[in-house]
């Protein structure tokens, strides 16, 4: 027997985006939802790694490195790119 926490269906906005740097190519899907405290779900389509990210997370390079298994320079590139793409709502405003 399972205890159900939630079972929701939503029409979500999804943005597919990719970019290349001198070091790597990146392909991501960004799922915007009203759930998960307003944090978009960012999915790397190359590695299948994903993370819920907000403005604070995008500036935390250690978090990006861990979530997507990146080197520091790659995390900096990803941070810079996603900061231009995602809404800048601080986590304190989401909760």
């Amino acid at each position: 027997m399972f205890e159900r926490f939630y079972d929701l269906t939503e029409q979500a906005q999804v943005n597919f985006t990719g970019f290349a740097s001198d070091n790597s190519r990146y392909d991501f899907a960004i799922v915007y939802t009203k759930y998960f405290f307003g944090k978009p779900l960012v999915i790397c389509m190359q590695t299948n790694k994903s993370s819920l990210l907000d403005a604070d997370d995008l500036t935390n390079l250690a978090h990006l490195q861990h979530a997507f298994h990146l080197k520091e320079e790659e995390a900096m590139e990803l941070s810079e790119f996603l900061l231009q793409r995602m809404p800048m709502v601080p986590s304190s405003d989401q909760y």
Side-chain angles (χ1 to χ4, degrees):
M1 180 172 241
F2 296 99
E3 181 180 348
R4 182 177 292 185
F5 292 123
Y6 57 88
D7 185 4
L8 306 166
T9 301
E10 174 187 19
Q11 293 286 340
Q13 179 183 349
V14 180
N15 175 233
F16 296 98
T17 185
F19 71 100
S21 69
D22 290 338
N23 302 310
S24 298
R25 176 190 166 114
Y26 304 90
D27 295 290
F28 286 92
I30 304 171
V31 181
Y32 297 94
T33 176
K34 63 183 176 182
Y35 300 105
F36 307 114
F37 306 105
K39 288 186 174 190
L41 174 63
V42 179
I43 306 160
C44 177
M45 294 186 295
Q46 295 165 317
T47 64
N48 295 321
K49 304 290 183 205
S50 64
S51 183
L52 295 167
L53 299 175
D54 66 8
D56 295 333
D57 298 324
L58 292 176
T59 59
N60 183 339
L61 296 182
H63 178 72
L64 291 176
Q65 283 180 270
H66 176 74
F68 295 104
H69 296 227
L70 300 172
K71 297 175 185 169
E72 184 176 1
E73 185 174 341
E74 294 170 326
M76 289 181 355
E77 292 171 343
L78 181 59
S79 172
E80 183 179 324
F81 180 75
L82 290 179
L83 282 168
Q84 298 172 14
R85 307 282 311 159
M86 294 180 38
M88 295 302 295
V89 179
S91 60
S92 60
D93 294 345
Q94 294 174 7
Y95 305 109

